[in-house]
Amino acid sequence: MDSDLCHHIACVGLNVNSTAVIIGAMLISPLMGPILGMGYSLATYDFKLFRKALANFGFAVGASLATSTLYFLLTPLSEAHSELLARTQPNIYDVIIAMVGGLAGIVALSSKQKGNVIPGAAIATALMPPLCTAGYGLSTANWSYFFGAFYLFTINTVFIAAATLVTVRFLKYPIWHQTEEGLKQRANMWVSIIVTITMIPSIYFGYVLVKRERFKQEATRFIKNETYIEGDYLLKSDIDPLQKIIHLTYGGKLIPEPTKKKLQEKLKNYTLMDAKITIQQGFSFADANNDLLELTQQQAEINRLRSELSLNLKRQDSIQQRSLLGQQLLKELKPLFPEVQACATSEQVFYNDSLKMQRYHSLTLQSRDIKKTFANKERITTWFQHRLQQDSIRVYIERAL
């Protein structure tokens, strides 16, 4: 498999946040072979094979970084999605995954019945996506993304090779090349040093991750048990584990400073001694007997919020109905036009030079027989007009993937 194709698949998957595409890139990654080769050659002290595997590995890494950087420089989609962000903060758990994946990979290669272990190990260790994420960091000059992703790639590389080395020696593979004892000791020493240096930062990052998760758990428990204030309603709560801040937004009467201080003091009961609470009021009202006008304004605000909530619920129901409409249309189209494989529908708004607005209902079809579907386009358009009881209709046809 051409390595450039693999790079492009991984980059596109990260760019559009598609897990399925990213998994495909993992399966055809050209990096697993050279890494296993490096581990095997070190285990058997075949330094000629090690240099060859290292050269192949270096070429693949360089090509991947160059290709991914170029892709992210050219693509119009520049937002960092969750699939990309997930590969910028490695920790000790990634070391464990790399070790287990490497063990599974080399054991499967050593067995006559490989089954689906090799694809599973390739997906678990995920070599190509973090390297492409590093390319994204280079293209955007975001060095925290670059170093985080490249460190994750380094973890996977080192510990897959280390797992291979351990397994090959455990299985007592034959050593075909005579090597001086001093050279063997130096090789083993350098392997130990590299493994240790690679692991140490991940232990720290794992410790930070655990601390953040514990802070989130304690802060969530605190919010659930201690944030009730008579005469006020907690509208929103946010937890910032990095800054150790709990943001609370209330609606209701103005909260006095002593109440805020009392709430801050309660943090001591939840191992949140160094945390801080910030309190904001989405809306507040003073004593109703002294300020009836303000109370009326707040009631109007409540009514407005209720109206907005009702409108959002209706809009959500409308969106859900539109998403189900495409499924229903496909069921109705298939008996009439069997060549249609998939369809989608939406409402579009167009503006002309005079800024006059026109609304259209569009129907996009994916067909395995483009010519036949284009021949039936007029019939499909007429059917769609009658189906929606709308005159402003546009039908688009494209080849099924």
Side-chain angles (χ1 to χ4, degrees), residues 197-209:
I197 292 175
T198 304
M199 182 186 294
I200 288 174
S202 71
I203 296 174
Y204 170 74
F205 292 138
Y207 170 74
V208 172
L209 175 66

Side-chain angles (χ1 to χ4, degrees), residues 100-117:
V100 175
L103 286 170
I106 190 61
V107 169
L109 286 174
S110 304
S111 172
K112 292 181 179 180
Q113 297 179 343
K114 297 177 176 58
N116 61 355
V117 177

Side-chain angles (χ1 to χ4, degrees), residues 213-254:
E213 288 302 316
R214 286 181 178 175
F215 181 86
K216 285 183 180 179
Q217 292 175 2
E218 284 294 290
T220 301
R221 195 162 66 92
F222 170 81
I223 292 170
K224 181 179 179 181
N225 297 335
E226 304 291 351
T227 54
Y228 171 76
I229 298 177
E230 187 176 355
D232 285 274
Y233 178 74
L234 183 62
L235 298 174
K236 183 182 178 183
S237 62
D238 289 309
I239 301 170
D240 184 352
L242 185 62
Q243 301 293 331
K244 294 187 177 180
I245 299 176
I246 302 172
H247 301 279
L248 303 175
T249 304
Y250 283 92
K253 69 179 184 180
L254 190 64

Side-chain angles (χ1 to χ4, degrees), residues 232-401:
D232 285 274
Y233 178 74
L234 183 62
L235 298 174
K236 183 182 178 183
S237 62
D238 289 309
I239 301 170
D240 184 352
L242 185 62
Q243 301 293 331
K244 294 187 177 180
I245 299 176
I246 302 172
H247 301 279
L248 303 175
T249 304
Y250 283 92
K253 69 179 184 180
L254 190 64
I255 302 174
E257 287 299 320
T259 303
K260 294 181 181 179
K261 290 181 180 179
K262 186 176 180 181
L263 199 61
Q264 179 75 39
E265 290 173 358
K266 290 181 180 179
L267 291 173
K268 299 175 183 178
N269 302 325
Y270 291 86
T271 64
L272 297 170
M273 295 283 293
D274 51 351
K276 181 183 177 182
I277 296 177
T278 62
I279 296 178
Q280 294 179 330
Q281 296 206 240
F283 57 89
S284 63
F285 51 85
D287 189 352
N289 294 326
N290 299 327
D291 200 348
L292 182 59
L293 176 61
E294 188 174 354
L295 178 60
T296 304
Q297 292 174 344
Q298 300 311 321
Q299 184 63 48
E301 177 68 7
I302 292 173
N303 292 336
R304 187 190 68 79
L305 291 172
R306 286 177 177 172
S307 176
E308 187 176 348
L309 177 61
S310 176
L311 182 63
N312 287 336
L313 289 174
K314 289 181 181 178
R315 188 180 294 115
Q316 184 177 356
D317 290 340
S318 175
I319 293 172
Q320 186 175 8
Q321 289 299 322
R322 285 202 299 269
S323 65
L324 294 175
L325 178 60
Q327 183 180 14
Q328 181 62 35
L329 290 176
L330 182 61
K331 291 181 181 179
E332 297 175 16
L333 275 169
K334 289 289 287 185
L336 300 173
F337 309 99
E339 68 275 11
V340 174
Q341 292 291 99
C343 78
T345 182
S346 64
E347 184 179 3
Q348 298 177 326
V349 179
F350 289 84
Y351 294 90
N352 56 25
D353 292 338
S354 60
L355 297 181
K356 185 179 179 182
M357 181 180 70
Q358 291 181 307
R359 293 183 179 273
Y360 292 94
H361 290 272
S362 69
L363 177 68
T364 303
L365 303 177
Q366 289 187 348
S367 171
R368 58 189 173 190
D369 190 341
I370 289 288
K371 291 184 178 179
K372 186 174 181 181
T373 306
F374 268 106
N376 292 325
K377 185 176 180 179
E378 186 174 349
R379 292 176 57 203
I380 294 172
T381 303
T382 303
W383 174 85
F384 193 45
Q385 287 174 335
H386 288 298
R387 177 63 176 78
L388 294 188
Q389 297 182 353
Q390 296 285 341
D391 293 328
S392 300
I393 295 295
R394 292 191 177 186
V395 176
Y396 304 97
I397 300 171
E398 60 186 39
R399 189 177 302 277
L401 299 177

Side-chain angles (χ1 to χ4, degrees), residues 32 91-105 121 124-127 152-164:
M32 194 72 164
N91 54 67
I92 188 63
Y93 298 103
D94 294 297
V95 172
I96 298 172
I97 293 170
M99 281 291 294
V100 175
L103 286 170
T125 50
L127 290 161
L152 175 58
F153 173 74
T154 303
I155 287 175
N156 290 339
T157 299
V158 169
F159 285 94
I160 291 172
T164 303

